[in-house]
Amino acid sequence: MNKKWWKEAVVYQVYPRSFKDSNGDGIGDLRGVIEKIDHLDRLGVDAVWLNPVYQSPNDDNGYDISDYRAIMDDFGTMDDLEELMELLHERDIKLIMDLVLNHSSDEHQWFKESRKSKDNPYRDYYIWKDGKNGGPPNNWKSFFGGSTWKYDEQTEQYYLHLFSPKQPDLNWENQKVREEIYDMINWWLKKGVDGFRLDVINLISKDQSFPDGSDDLAGHEYFANGPRVHEFVQEMAENTYNNYDAMTVGETPFVDKDEALKFVKEERQEFSMVIPFNHLEFDRKEGWNKITDWDLTELKTLMSEWQYLLQKNNGWTSLYFCNHDQPRIVSRYGDDGQYRKESAKMLGTMLHTLRGTPFIYQGEEIGMTNISFDSLSDFDDIETRGYIKDLQEKGEMSEEEILEIANYRTRDNARTPMHWDNSKYAGFSDAEPWLKMNSNYREVNVQKDLKSADSVFEYYQKMITLRKKYPVFAYGKYDILLENDQQIYAYQRHGEENNLLILLNFSRDEAHFDLSAELEIEEAELILNNYQKEAEFELKGNLRAYEARVYLY
Ligand code: TEU
Ligand code: CA
């Protein structure tokens, strides 16, 4: 097993728009992140992944970039970014930037040229096609609702946009496009950034015959993990980040585990790790607007298969529950009422004790919960608005039903402003924030956590310290226990010097376990427990509601 800094790191994701506003316009910004570096340092994280801060008309909160080498006015200036990077580096915290390479903004100079005429030198930077039978070139469906094709009157052709119409897809078949992209990546590497998270990077190669997709796959069988995706990624890696000691995280929706392995097998030199989705999509199998039942054994199977496959094949993974696209995990797999703190800690324990690199999303370290908006007009997220529109047009659900599912699914759940203290606007800003606050900020905030002994924050600090102290957390071999148990997720990690035994109760009921026949461990130290009255070492006993125990032996 090769040692790497990014295998031992804990990453903290900052969504700058909602982290801290420094100049009173209600929008978080880079100087706000600078103000809060102490928080990151206190928590003990090793790297910060910053969501896109590039110049953008902000149709999809910065994932629509109009200039890859400039900073969005809302966020500040290039000087601010450089200062942030220096200050992070002074504290030994790395900076990971978000790279959005599948598409640009329609306001990018390249697209403005491209749409002018069919023989413009930039025409082939994007994907243009004639319509078919008076409609779009095929039936692919956009991630944000509607068709993936938009008709442009100027040249009477359609262009492809897998996301919003303001996010035209770049044409990776065109070598010039690839070279421009590599230049830009190298420009950032030379500036000193330590790595990248690569947005929907497995969508860059499309089947060039652009066939109709099947109804339930909406075309993704032809644009996800396409024919040349690994060739493109390897070419990019070779020409850019592989010449540095960089960390790369590929975001890869619609990958099965065998495909994902190709991206992360160390010898293939594509990415350090990917962002898998399986463990967060199994309540969504019947679509966005229908909640599918799931059980713990299914989650355990998914996690285990991925863990075993990676350790057998020399691959690595990110470990995450929350990000700017996902509802808050404590409201989803935990309990955001009575057991908010216990379940937030238990879920955090799972992320920090599996084999991989843990990612903490802002607010997760204090157990922030989902919001509940009163009205459909409160939603800001372009994805949610797209689905709401589709559902309203279909007319099969009432407004209340739509509101309920939108509150459950919306990406806004993650994007409400960070809770720093109990003042008006939670110390996020002096002015009304760009998105509504979660109303529970007086109960759930950083200031409060810093003052109380059994806070979620303190527990996170402790986990991170332990992870640094014992290499078995990062490198140990994974082995599942009690595979069929419906309440408990239990596993061991085997390292060179130590071993870990992890027991997690995913339910609000007491859970009985008996490992005495399976394991022979004489003595072990309880190094982590989310209850104040700590448990003893035992191979047979009961776990309290959402209890998490980590034993070292
Ligand atoms: O997300 C890609 C992606 O797969 C999402 O559409 C995700 O499945 C969905 O939001 C879950 O509800 C990335 C970014 O993380 C996201 O913020 C962007 O909107 C998107 O790409 C387009 O750049
Ligand atoms: Ca601001």
Side-chain angles (χ1 to χ4, degrees):
M1 169 58 51
N2 287 328
K3 293 203 161 180
K4 295 271 189 216
W5 70 263
W6 42 262
K7 292 183 182 169
E8 293 167 27
V10 174
V11 182
Y12 186 91
Q13 183 188 350
V14 170
Y15 192 69
R17 213 172 186 75
S18 300
F19 195 58
K20 168 71 190 167
D21 172 23
S22 72
N23 62 349
D25 62 359
I27 300 173
D29 45 54
L30 290 169
R31 299 221 69 82
V33 186
I34 290 176
E35 278 177 36
K36 294 295 182 188
I37 290 183
D38 276 347
H39 176 74
L40 307 173
D41 208 18
R42 198 176 290 136
L43 186 58
V45 298
D46 308 283
V48 166
W49 151 28
L50 206 57
N51 281 98
V53 290
Y54 315 94
Q55 200 174 92
S56 158
N58 220 27
D59 187 55
D60 181 20
N61 288 10
Y63 282 93
D64 48 319
I65 298 170
S66 53
D67 185 346
Y68 289 91
R69 300 177 203 218
I71 301 295
M72 195 192 298
D73 293 339
D74 284 348
F75 291 147
T77 64
M78 192 58 81
D79 285 345
D80 295 334
L81 184 85
E82 280 169 7
E83 190 180 327
L84 171 64
M85 183 163 68
E86 269 170 40
L87 292 170
L88 288 171
H89 285 167
E90 271 173 26
R91 314 234 189 160
D92 261 336
I93 302 176
K94 313 260 190 198
L95 179 64
I96 311 293
M97 299 288 283
D98 212 314
L99 277 180
V100 189
L101 308 177
N102 176 68
H103 44 267
S104 74
S105 162
D106 66 339
E107 296 180 37
H108 193 290
Q109 209 50 43
W110 298 337
F111 191 76
K112 286 188 187 161
E113 286 298 321
S114 184
R115 80 185 335 167
K116 278 186 186 159
S117 67
K118 286 186 180 167
D119 54 12
N120 188 285
Y122 289 89
R123 186 67 171 181
D124 288 340
Y125 272 48
Y126 296 87
I127 301 165
W128 293 94
K129 293 268 167 258
D130 289 326
K132 232 167 66 190
N133 315 320
N138 66 29
N139 68 353
W140 296 0
K141 285 198 207 66
S142 156
F143 282 76
F144 295 158
S147 165
T148 54
W149 297 95
K150 176 149 168 142
Y151 184 69
D152 205 45
E153 268 167 14
Q154 178 89 12
T155 52
E156 301 181 323
Q157 278 193 315
Y158 290 80
Y159 67 86
L160 180 76
H161 62 88
L162 295 184
F163 294 87
S164 117
K166 287 187 66 62
Q167 293 167 298
D169 279 54
L170 284 158
N171 180 16
W172 275 71
E173 300 291 323
N174 181 348
Q175 199 188 331
K176 273 210 234 126
V177 170
R178 303 203 300 273
E179 280 165 9
E180 297 251 25
I181 288 174
Y182 307 158
D183 274 357
M184 179 272 287
I185 297 177
N186 284 323
W187 187 84
W188 280 102
L189 285 164
K190 281 195 202 107
K191 237 185 207 317
V193 307
D194 305 289
F196 303 104
R197 176 262 189 196
L198 297 100
D199 191 62
V200 291
I201 196 65
N202 63 325
L203 308 186
I204 56 178
S205 164
K206 283 89 179 169
D207 184 321
Q208 290 301 296
S209 57
F210 294 89
D212 273 339
S214 71
D215 274 348
D216 49 332
L217 293 178
H220 76 65
E221 66 273 44
Y222 297 114
F223 60 70
N225 315 309
R228 296 181 72 187
V229 70
H230 294 286
E231 174 197 333
F232 290 158
V233 170
Q234 287 185 3
E235 184 189 86
M236 167 171 66
E238 220 168 277
N239 284 286
T240 61
Y241 49 77
N242 281 359
N243 304 314
Y244 294 75
D245 185 22
M247 160 174 177
T248 53
V249 194
E251 193 211 20
T252 50
F254 310 124
V255 286
D256 61 32
K257 54 184 193 320
D258 297 311
E259 187 66 34
L261 183 63
K262 293 190 193 156
F263 287 115
V264 298
K265 225 175 144 88
E266 214 155 297
E267 307 75 276
R268 292 174 59 92
Q269 301 264 313
E270 296 189 19
F271 301 128
S272 318
M273 59 191 93
V274 290
I275 300 179
F277 280 74
N278 295 346
H279 65 304
L280 291 167
E281 285 196 327
F282 64 175
D283 66 346
R284 198 173 158 163
K285 278 180 239 150
E286 291 168 70
W288 190 88
N289 51 343
K290 201 153 177 256
I291 300 170
T292 319
D293 283 341
W294 60 274
D295 63 43
L296 180 65
T297 50
E298 200 181 343
L299 178 68
K300 295 199 303 194
T301 307
L302 285 172
M303 298 312 294
S304 295
E305 284 174 352
W306 187 219
Q307 291 276 307
Y308 283 122
L309 190 73
L310 290 174
Q311 70 192 15
K312 202 167 116 204
N313 292 284
N314 200 19
W316 201 252
T317 188
S318 68
L319 300 163
Y320 79 104
F321 274 137
C322 296
N323 63 32
H324 63 293
D325 291 335
Q326 298 291 340
R328 294 284 179 179
I329 202 63
V330 51
S331 302
R332 224 172 143 182
Y333 300 168
D335 175 343
D336 61 9
Q338 189 185 351
Y339 295 112
R340 184 186 66 84
K341 288 207 291 197
E342 287 80 2
S343 63
K345 292 175 190 175
M346 185 278 289
L347 292 162
T349 311
M350 176 177 147
L351 292 189
H352 287 79
T353 55
L354 286 170
R355 185 176 166 284
T357 301
F359 279 58
I360 304 169
Y361 178 69
Q362 65 185 47
E364 196 173 350
E365 76 280 24
I366 53 169
M368 278 178 69
T369 63
N370 279 356
I371 44 102
S372 173
F373 289 148
D374 304 326
S375 150
L376 290 178
S377 61
D378 286 338
F379 293 93
D380 172 85
D381 168 21
I382 184 169
E383 179 183 75
T384 313
R385 286 190 280 122
Y387 278 108
I388 291 175
K389 189 162 162 267
D390 280 2
L391 289 174
Q392 284 173 328
E393 279 166 12
K394 270 201 202 135
E396 289 160 7
M397 278 166 83
S398 70
E399 294 280 302
E400 290 81 66
E401 285 168 323
I402 299 177
L403 184 64
E404 196 187 328
I405 189 76
N407 270 323
Y408 180 75
R409 290 260 190 249
T410 185
R411 307 193 296 183
D412 287 337
N413 279 313
R415 300 177 181 184
T416 61
M418 177 75 183
H419 301 172
W420 297 104
D421 58 37
N422 60 9
S423 65
K424 198 177 179 195
Y425 308 133
F428 164 71
S429 175
D430 303 329
E432 191 178 343
W434 69 277
L435 183 66
K436 278 196 176 171
M437 312 268 334
N438 192 316
S439 58
N440 64 1
Y441 70 87
R442 287 199 175 79
E443 172 60 26
V444 182
N445 66 62
V446 172
Q447 191 185 49
K448 192 172 171 200
D449 265 25
L450 289 179
K451 280 187 198 149
S452 75
D454 68 331
S455 67
V456 179
F457 184 86
E458 190 210 24
Y459 190 87
Y460 263 77
Q461 264 180 328
K462 200 169 169 194
M463 285 195 294
I464 295 170
T465 311
L466 286 169
R467 227 181 157 270
K468 290 200 178 130
K469 189 164 166 198
Y470 301 108
V472 60
F473 276 83
Y475 296 111
K477 223 172 123 271
Y478 168 91
D479 214 355
I480 189 161
L481 298 161
L482 307 174
E483 225 171 317
N484 299 318
D485 197 291
Q486 305 272 348
Q487 285 170 282
I488 299 175
Y489 186 14
Y491 46 95
Q492 284 170 288
R493 301 287 309 285
H494 302 292
E496 280 171 15
E497 289 152 26
N498 315 90
N499 302 290
L500 300 173
L501 169 63
I502 296 109
L503 302 173
L504 309 169
N505 180 3
F506 266 74
S507 78
R508 53 184 305 132
D509 302 317
E510 224 181 40
H512 181 69
F513 65 95
D514 186 353
L515 289 160
S516 56
E518 247 166 290
L519 300 180
E520 259 178 65
I521 305 171
E522 299 267 294
E523 228 175 285
E525 184 192 348
L526 181 75
I527 53 170
L528 204 58
N529 190 199
N530 59 347
Y531 272 80
Q532 276 192 304
K533 189 173 177 306
E534 289 201 342
E536 314 266 296
F537 174 62
E538 53 191 6
L539 286 176
K540 184 175 167 178
N542 294 313
L543 295 177
R544 291 161 280 188
Y546 295 103
E547 182 166 2
R549 294 185 196 176
V550 179
Y551 293 113
L552 180 87
Y553 62 97

